[in-house]
Amino acid sequence: MTQQLQAQWQHRRSGNDIQRPGDVRTPWQRDRARILHSAAFRRLQSKTQIMNVGENDFYRTRLTHSLEAAQIGASLINQLTHTAPAELHYLLPDLNLIEALCLAHDIGHPPFGHGGEAALNYKMLESGGFEGNGQTFRIVGRLEAYHPDHGMDLTRRTLLGLLKYPVLMPPLSLPENPDKPGSLSKWKPAKAVFAADADLLDWVLAPLSETDRSQFQQTEQLAQSPWQRSQHKSFDASLMELADDIAYGVHDLEDAVVTGTLNERHWHEHMDSLCQSLPKPLADLMAELSEELFAQEHHRRKNAIGALVNIFVTTISVSETLPGATEPLVRYNATLPDAERQLLNALKAVVFEHVINQPAIQQLRYRSQNMLLDLFDAFHTEPMRLLPHNTRSRWEAAFNTQGQAAADRILCDYIAGMTDDYAHRMYQNLYVIR
């Protein structure tokens, strides 16, 4: 990468990169610090990962998950410094950058996990929709209070690395009977950046040639409109997403085993046939680790968890996923071999089927979704009475200058920023007679 191009990816949208006297940090160290000290990052300590916050002191929260993802991201970079072709070493993000991405990747998630995400998306169908990664992009680029207009004012490369879906939200519409959404599983969000943040997306992608950008933003339509999937992400984003997947597939698996939510019988029912189809060395290792995972001795389980992470970290490689691109940051991705990717997907599926999809968890999700639907209705109906002063001022300014959709986005920002505990208390304040 040329020095000129390097400089482009280190730009901040404010154009102001003045460092304090004596500050010798790199741009990536400064980005990591801004994320780590942000209010949005601190709120992750009280947001659901899988099992509801407060149900047990052991469960991982969004905060501990993000810390683990950052550690895994650093391990991936360490691995690639030893195994990636020498001519691609210039492409590797340094440890501060990959940790910044992993620490920030979930800060846009609303209270109550993906259930809360579907509820807010339903309420925002007429106003541009809602999606967790799109909200992360909005928080770091617009909402956090480091800069009056540009949020955390992060470098362009950091913003690019946070874009799991570098495309705009497709047009959305309400169902025929909007008062009865039915199953909110029908209203899972399209994976995209909000149209309200199109200017920020344009700025991030400005260094790409017209051809690179067109290829990079290709999408495919999924079975149910308006669902879409963007087909590409940047090199840094692929590393961040892989670290996230490993943390979810392995460490959330540990929660399930320790709490008894996933038992040995369920594990074998789900995993044995898959493991038998793997290459023999990997299949033999998984047979050994399956026994360790459910051993009574805690240190054996911990050893199995570490060994599972090691399987994925040590097999990562760099691949050309957009061969025609001239910009290396979108031309290459970090990838796993087919067998290891198949195994990681199976671990994620185990967690989904035997933890997330269990009636007790789904009942909590159903209750939480309805809480957010009711909160949105209350604030939408009586914004000038019920919103806190600072949010009310922003709502009023947006409504008077841009209309209802912009004002709804302010409401959505407010509710999405709530922790699980805060949302629950707010619901009680508005709806529960004590």
Side-chain angles (χ1 to χ4, degrees):
M1 191 183 298
T2 67
Q3 289 299 314
Q4 181 183 6
L5 204 52
Q6 281 277 19
Q8 285 183 311
W9 292 110
Q10 292 181 25
H11 287 170
R12 301 182 190 277
R13 198 175 183 204
S14 67
N16 182 359
D17 203 27
I18 298 173
Q19 293 178 264
R20 294 182 176 90
D23 187 355
V24 295
R25 292 175 298 169
T26 68
W28 324 123
Q29 288 174 316
R30 297 173 70 195
D31 282 358
R32 181 182 181 276
R34 292 181 186 190
I35 291 163
L36 193 60
H37 295 292
S38 67
F41 180 73
R42 289 195 300 277
R43 291 189 189 105
L44 296 178
Q45 66 187 304
S46 189
K47 288 195 177 187
T48 293
Q49 172 64 8
I50 291 181
M51 303 176 185
N52 276 29
V53 171
E55 301 260 326
N56 187 302
D57 288 341
F58 177 83
Y59 298 161
R60 286 168 166 89
T61 65
R62 289 276 173 191
L63 178 64
T64 58
H65 163 76
S66 298
L67 292 170
E68 288 173 333
Q71 186 276 322
I72 292 170
S75 296
L76 294 174
I77 299 303
N78 286 333
Q79 180 70 21
L80 288 175
T81 60
H82 290 88
T83 59
E87 62 270 20
L88 293 179
H89 280 194
Y90 75 94
L91 190 60
L92 300 181
D94 76 12
L95 294 181
N96 290 286
L97 175 53
I98 192 63
E99 288 184 2
L101 299 178
C102 293
L103 291 172
H105 81 279
D106 265 354
I107 62 174
H109 266 285
F112 312 122
H114 289 290
E117 184 183 43
L120 286 180
N121 182 56
Y122 180 77
K123 285 299 183 182
M124 289 294 291
L125 286 174
E126 278 193 310
S127 302
F130 179 83
E131 193 277 326
N133 188 251
Q135 188 69 11
T136 294
F137 189 64
R138 182 170 171 81
I139 287 170
V140 298
R142 202 178 296 280
L143 299 182
E144 269 287 342
Y146 283 81
H147 188 278
D149 300 310
H150 305 306
M152 296 187 196
D153 198 24
L154 303 178
T155 59
R156 183 182 264 123
R157 180 167 178 175
T158 300
L159 291 173
L160 180 69
L162 287 171
L163 280 171
K164 292 172 68 173
Y165 319 110
V167 295
L168 289 177
M169 188 74 74
L172 305 170
S173 59
L174 280 171
E176 291 183 3
N177 189 348
D179 293 330
K180 295 182 179 180
S183 172
L184 283 174
S185 63
K186 296 187 299 185
W187 303 106
K188 292 178 182 177
K191 304 297 188 181
V193 171
F194 309 135
D197 301 315
D199 59 327
L200 179 58
L201 179 64
D202 286 340
W203 182 82
V204 173
L205 301 183
L208 301 184
S209 69
E210 186 176 336
T211 301
D212 278 7
R213 177 166 178 171
S214 175
Q215 292 179 318
F216 183 56
Q217 292 189 292
Q218 289 174 335
T219 61
E220 58 179 328
Q221 195 70 28
L222 301 185
Q224 183 176 340
S225 180
W227 292 353
Q228 65 178 20
R229 178 187 292 125
S230 55
Q231 294 182 300
H232 303 288
K233 58 181 63 68
S234 71
F235 179 67
D236 298 340
S238 71
L239 283 161
M240 175 266 286
E241 188 170 51
L242 185 53
D244 181 25
D245 283 352
I246 295 170
Y248 169 67
V250 178
H251 289 302
D252 290 346
L253 171 70
E254 182 182 16
D255 275 6
V257 172
V258 172
T259 58
T261 312
L262 175 68
N263 61 41
E264 193 168 3
R265 177 175 64 84
H266 290 148
W267 168 265
H268 286 295
E269 286 176 353
H270 196 104
M271 294 296 296
D272 281 359
S273 60
L274 177 278
C275 289
Q276 290 167 10
S277 70
L278 298 173
K280 191 173 188 310
L282 185 54
D284 291 345
L285 176 58
M286 284 304 299
E288 178 184 333
L289 295 181
S290 295
E291 182 179 341
E292 295 263 300
L293 192 61
F294 292 94
Q296 293 299 310
E297 300 89 348
H298 293 333
H299 70 276
R300 293 179 63 192
R301 184 189 68 248
K302 269 297 182 190
N303 178 67
I305 293 297
L308 284 170
V309 173
N310 185 69
I311 288 172
F312 306 117
V313 169
T314 57
T315 54
I316 188 175
S317 62
V318 179
S319 303
E320 273 190 301
T321 51
L322 198 59
T326 57
E327 168 52 58
L329 285 176
V330 301
R331 181 174 182 173
Y332 297 97
N333 271 193
T335 58
L336 289 175
D338 289 343
E340 282 75 13
R341 170 49 71 180
Q342 186 180 10
L343 175 59
L344 182 55
N345 289 344
L347 294 180
K348 292 166 61 181
V350 166
V351 173
F352 178 82
E353 182 58 34
H354 294 290
V355 182
I356 297 174
N357 213 30
Q358 289 305 297
I361 298 294
Q362 289 302 314
Q363 288 161 14
L364 288 171
R365 177 174 285 193
Y366 180 82
R367 182 188 71 181
S368 301
Q369 285 177 322
N370 281 285
M371 286 170 54
L372 290 194
L373 293 174
D374 288 343
L375 284 177
F376 192 98
D377 285 343
F379 293 129
H380 186 269
T381 304
E382 296 278 7
M384 300 303 288
R385 288 180 63 196
L386 302 178
L387 288 172
H389 290 296
N390 60 339
T391 306
R392 184 172 68 192
S393 297
R394 289 188 290 114
W395 181 92
E396 191 172 17
F399 183 82
N400 289 336
T401 59
Q402 301 174 66
Q404 186 65 57
D408 284 349
R409 181 62 63 191
I410 301 299
L411 290 186
C412 190
D413 289 339
Y414 174 55
I415 296 173
M418 294 179 179
T419 64
D420 294 15
D421 292 339
Y422 186 91
H424 191 264
R425 289 197 304 272
M426 182 62 70
Y427 179 84
Q428 288 185 316
N429 289 342
L430 294 176
Y431 288 102
V432 177
I433 299 174
R434 306 186 196 185

